Amino acid sequence: VDVEFEEYVSQRLPSLRRLAHLLTGDWAEAEDLVQDVLVRCEGRWRRIGLDDPHGYVRRAVVNAAANWRRRRRLEAPLADHAAVLDHAPDVEARVALLTALRRLPLPQRQVVVLRFYEQMTEAETAAALGIAVGTVKSRLSRALDALRRDGVMSAAEEGATR
Amino acid sequence: MNEFSEDLRNAARLGEEQLAPVGVFLSRLASARRAHRRRRLASAAVPAAAAAVSLIAISPALIEQPHTRPPAPGAHASNSPALTTTCDYRPTPPDRSAHEKNPSNGLPPAAPAPAPRTIALDTSRGQITVALNPHAPCAANSFTHLAAGGFYNGNDCHRLTTVKIYVVQCGDPFENQTGGPGYRFDDEDLVSAEYAAGTVALANSGPNTNGSQFFIVYADSPQITPDYTVLGTVTDGLEILKDIAAAGATPEGDGRPNKSLQIQSAR
């Protein structure tokens, strides 16, 4: 079990941390959060393994990120990416995208991240978040509108989403 | 939208180089896991089903943050729980207010009144009597406070599970599994928590998030992890729950009970 678990972690750690990063907007929190989730999952690993371990852990990360956000919202604003990064040409576009993403309300951000970063279908996104497919669609459309307004989606992509 | 996915993947990596390499992360994880196992020795023999994790929780969260608060006073009470217990009932943040219904009589007193030894649930299908767990004074105090304020009157038990874990869950003011009484309080006596038939325990959404929701175990459920404060044990009326369970749930396995069970009053 241990070997399997560690193998899973080494393979998936980068993608789990990136997922948490997109959801929280903060690397340090992303790292802590993924560690917490993995610690909690380890004891349950044998059973999780029967089904879809990565799906399970991803859902756990999404939930933990939601709780983290709820907890912090009243305490401190999120750190500003732009402040800590130097401005190589395409870094700027990435910072703009992260910033626009962070501006979305959490439910919209979750849908965007699961649908387009994790590339889940609408049905999978709905199942992972425990919401209806219709809700996924409406959140997604509001989120994409906001991202367009922030100018972080290219013209080509805009056409494709209509 | 492939391009947008690609943009997101690139953005997600931005700044990644500041993180620990996988090897360092793994060794940190290993020591965190050892510490976690020590904290939860009691759960070692009971690996929970993935389903069981989310099933009991009030919130849809699957996995919660680890304990960040110290255990409540009395959390590891011996045979004679201290009489000086004080309880920390924390109002929930305003952003959850849509999910909360405050009891008419406010927060429970921080110093619990001597708890009765039993509580009675008068339900639409008969009386259920529960002997209270003396090692969970804050849970008992909260329950009797809510009961006295009529919080549970008219409450339909909103959930029945018939797969892997065998519970009927009640006490949500909104009957959709997300609701609470406007406050949260800490877990108690988890070290000896077991979920045999008849156990009544508090539902939660992670460590130290107890509210008004509770579940009654109608058949032994070893797959429930010891994360739920035991309020007491049914001494009379368990057949009512078994009867509800036999009628099944919709959706099947985990859903609203097909045969309703309403709490008319609790005392």
Side-chain angles (χ1 to χ4, degrees):
Chain A
V1 172
D2 265 13
V3 173
E4 242 175 71
F5 182 72
E6 292 202 345
E7 213 173 86
Y8 167 81
V9 175
S10 358
Q11 273 175 17
R12 300 292 197 161
L13 176 66
S15 74
L16 290 172
R17 285 199 295 211
R18 287 171 201 156
L19 170 62
H21 173 226
L22 286 183
L23 290 168
T24 63
D26 184 307
W27 276 116
E29 286 297 339
E31 173 125 300
D32 286 354
L33 185 153
V34 168
Q35 176 173 314
D36 289 347
V37 165
L38 290 173
V39 166
R40 301 272 298 175
C41 287
E42 186 231 355
R44 302 172 167 133
W45 190 247
R46 231 171 322 188
R47 273 179 194 281
I48 298 169
L50 298 175
D51 281 278
D52 169 18
H54 188 53
Y56 179 96
V57 177
R58 274 193 310 194
R59 280 199 304 281
V61 168
V62 171
N63 285 318
N67 293 333
W68 172 81
R69 183 80 177 87
R70 270 205 297 275
R71 234 182 26 238
R72 294 301 151 98
R73 185 160 49 203
L74 301 171
E75 296 166 14
L78 295 172
D80 193 347
H81 273 284
V84 294
L85 294 164
D86 41 351
H87 288 238
D90 72 347
V91 166
E92 229 161 300
R94 295 178 196 179
V95 169
L97 179 51
L98 288 175
T99 307
L101 200 61
R102 238 173 40 211
R103 267 206 288 266
L104 295 177
L106 177 68
Q108 292 182 26
R109 190 181 335 139
Q110 286 175 327
V111 171
V112 169
V113 169
L114 293 187
R115 186 76 182 80
F116 296 111
Y117 174 72
E118 291 290 344
Q119 300 197 291
M120 292 183 182
T121 63
E122 283 176 348
E124 287 164 348
T125 305
L129 295 173
I131 58 180
V133 173
T135 312
V136 170
K137 289 184 182 170
S138 60
R139 283 181 191 171
L140 205 51
S141 116
R142 279 200 301 276
L144 295 180
D145 282 346
L147 294 176
R148 279 187 205 105
R149 275 198 303 277
D150 281 344
V152 294
M153 298 184 77
S154 75
E157 287 160 356
E158 247 184 76
T161 60
R162 300 279 156 155
Chain B
M1 291 305 283
N2 287 339
E3 266 181 64
F4 182 53
S5 293
E6 185 62 37
D7 289 349
L8 268 179
R9 275 198 296 278
N10 287 329
R13 283 199 288 266
L14 189 65
E16 192 171 46
E17 55 286 348
Q18 63 186 286
L19 295 183
V22 173
V24 174
F25 183 93
L26 274 175
S27 68
R28 265 191 227 149
L29 181 63
S31 59
R33 280 156 58 194
R34 280 192 297 275
H36 182 74
R37 272 199 297 268
R38 278 197 299 276
R39 278 202 303 276
R40 300 189 22 144
L41 220 54
S43 69
V46 193
V53 182
S54 66
L55 288 180
I56 299 300
I58 297 171
S59 85
L62 274 168
I63 301 273
E64 301 291 338
Q65 302 296 305
H67 291 249
T68 49
R69 300 183 144 268
H76 301 286
S78 66
N79 285 333
S80 50
L83 293 171
T84 54
T85 301
T86 57
C87 306
D88 179 19
Y89 299 106
R90 302 175 293 280
T92 46
D95 63 333
R96 265 199 56 88
S97 60
H99 302 282
E100 306 287 330
K101 180 187 163 196
N102 295 314
S104 55
N105 48 352
L107 285 181
R117 298 242 290 277
T118 61
I119 47 180
L121 301 175
D122 294 316
T123 77
S124 51
R125 303 194 186 272
Q127 185 180 305
I128 299 169
T129 310
V130 179
L132 289 172
N133 172 10
H135 303 307
C138 296
N141 185 47
S142 169
F143 192 92
T144 51
H145 177 80
L146 291 172
F151 188 87
Y152 290 116
N153 298 1
N155 180 251
D156 272 311
C157 295
H158 60 279
R159 180 183 191 196
L160 163 68
T161 64
T162 57
V163 176
K164 291 180 185 157
I165 65 175
Y166 309 99
V167 307
V168 174
Q169 192 168 326
C170 316
D172 177 351
F174 300 105
E175 295 166 13
N176 65 2
Q177 214 175 315
T178 63
Y183 62 87
R184 296 286 179 271
F185 61 98
D186 289 344
D187 297 322
E188 294 173 285
D189 197 31
L190 293 182
V191 284
S192 56
E194 284 178 15
Y195 306 93
T199 304
V200 182
L202 299 180
N204 66 41
S205 54
N208 303 319
T209 57
N210 297 307
S212 59
Q213 291 195 44
F214 62 93
F215 61 88
I216 306 174
V217 182
Y218 61 85
D220 292 352
S221 301
Q223 292 196 343
I224 301 177
T225 51
D227 294 323
Y228 307 94
T229 298
V230 174
L231 178 67
T233 308
V234 173
T235 54
D236 202 17
L238 193 59
E239 69 286 352
I240 297 172
L241 283 314
K242 289 183 173 161
D243 187 45
I244 301 292
T250 307
E252 207 183 322
D254 180 9
R256 293 196 85 81
N258 293 331
K259 194 168 179 178
S260 72
L261 178 65
Q262 187 180 74
I263 300 173
Q264 289 161 342
S265 72
R267 58 201 157 81

